[in-house]
Amino acid sequence: MDLRGDMTTDLTDARNVIRQALKTARDVPDETLQLLPLVPLVPRRMLRRVVEQFLGSGADLPVSCSNLGDIPAEFGRPDGTEAEYAMLRGVDQNVRRADIERAGGQLVAVAGRVNGKMSIGIVAYQLGAENSKPRLRELAAQTLADFDLTGDII
């Protein structure tokens, strides 16, 4: 299903797509997910052959999003003092740029609330685009502005 509406003002289409995806996931389980616990045991050379399965390919762009919800306050106090910021970051380790490019790019967003503040970590790579930290910060600021939100972008 294609989302053509303005998601900054109406999430109806997005909610419908998510509901349908969740229903499909329940009705037609992805058998490859059963193999994920074995990944640490697979030799690297063999893992590289199947990395596209995990990153996605074709029409499905490799996008993942995790909301960790409320995170215990201790997470934001590693030395006993409450941190001004707590950063969350979702990353796939040991993934080569060539694999990300072959998959069409990558977007990973991780969110959680620490000591009453929302923290959103973003890792992204877009084919043919400027993939610098300043550019990602600019895109994050624009996305927040699109939803009439503000935040400190670090």
Side-chain angles (χ1 to χ4, degrees), residues 36-99:
L36 285 179
L38 298 175
V39 169
L41 306 174
V42 176
R44 273 184 178 230
R45 67 183 184 282
M46 183 183 288
L47 190 57
R48 286 185 182 157
R49 293 181 193 152
V50 295
V51 73
E52 286 182 18
Q53 286 284 343
F54 296 102
L55 289 177
S57 61
D60 294 331
L61 294 177
V63 175
S64 64
C65 181
S66 296
N67 183 352
L68 304 176
D70 288 316
I71 297 172
E74 294 79 16
F75 177 84
R77 297 191 296 245
D79 65 355
T81 306
E82 190 169 306
E84 189 174 345
Y85 298 100
M87 295 176 58
L88 304 174
R89 185 172 178 193
V91 289
D92 296 327
Q93 295 182 4
N94 301 319
V95 178
R96 298 177 311 162
R97 185 161 111 186
D99 295 328

Side-chain angles (χ1 to χ4, degrees), residues 75 83-89 110 112 114 117-124 132-142 144 150-154:
F75 177 84
E84 189 174 345
Y85 298 100
M87 295 176 58
L88 304 174
R89 185 172 178 193
V110 179
V114 183
K117 291 182 182 177
M118 281 302 299
S119 177
I120 302 172
I122 302 169
V123 175
S132 65
K133 289 180 183 180
R135 177 68 178 140
L136 182 57
R137 288 184 186 105
E138 179 184 317
L139 290 170
Q142 181 58 53
L144 288 174
T150 60
D152 296 324
I153 299 175
I154 302 171

